[in-house]
Amino acid sequence: MAASSIRPSTPPPDLLCPITKKLLTDPVILLESGHTYDSKAIQGWLNLTGPKRDPLTGQVLNSTELVPNAVVKKMVDAWKTQHPEPTNNPAAAAAPTLTRAPHPQQQQQQQQMAGAMSL
């Protein structure tokens, strides 16, 4: 795969959603724990049945209030400006994408979250 077909570097871990492991697009803070997640991912997580828990710590939550994280949003936007998406490259589009299969427990959680998000 040509070097121009991928971003030149990987985003810093602080700019990745702890749930999706992808670059944050709409970062929000889960107020009770203070952790930042992507809005859709944490909403899907919180919609799962059972006690509401922080995904990172397992802490039982008394409040699920979310607020936008403007500072992290600016950091993500700055990173994206410094590392633009690649241009449309036909050779890159034809290249296969290799992925690792998720752990069975992660797969089950992802399926539950996907089901909750589709409601």
Side-chain angles (χ1 to χ4, degrees):
M1 186 183 300
S4 63
S5 65
I6 58 173
R7 281 194 165 160
S9 67
T10 304
D14 290 344
L15 301 184
L16 301 178
C17 174
I19 298 172
T20 65
K21 307 298 186 219
K22 294 181 181 179
L23 189 64
L24 291 158
T25 57
D26 183 19
V28 294
I29 300 170
L30 181 58
L31 278 183
E32 188 169 333
S33 70
H35 294 123
T36 296
Y37 300 96
D38 195 68
S39 175
K40 287 184 181 179
I42 189 63
Q43 288 173 359
W45 178 273
L46 294 173
N47 285 333
L48 296 174
T49 58
K52 306 302 182 209
R53 295 182 179 272
D54 182 279
L56 280 176
T57 64
Q59 168 191 349
V60 176
L61 303 168
N62 296 312
S63 169
T64 58
E65 186 175 356
L66 303 170
V67 294
N69 191 332
V71 172
V72 171
K73 177 66 172 158
K74 287 180 184 179
M75 291 169 61
V76 168
D77 291 344
W79 188 87
K80 287 168 69 175
T81 299
Q82 295 170 358
H83 303 87
E85 288 280 348
T87 56
N88 224 354
N89 182 343
T97 302
L98 301 176
T99 58
R100 187 179 78 192
H103 186 275
Q105 187 177 9
Q106 284 180 317
Q107 189 174 17
Q108 182 182 15
Q109 288 175 336
Q110 289 170 350
Q111 289 171 344
Q112 288 174 338
M113 191 167 74
M117 291 175 65
S118 67
L119 295 177

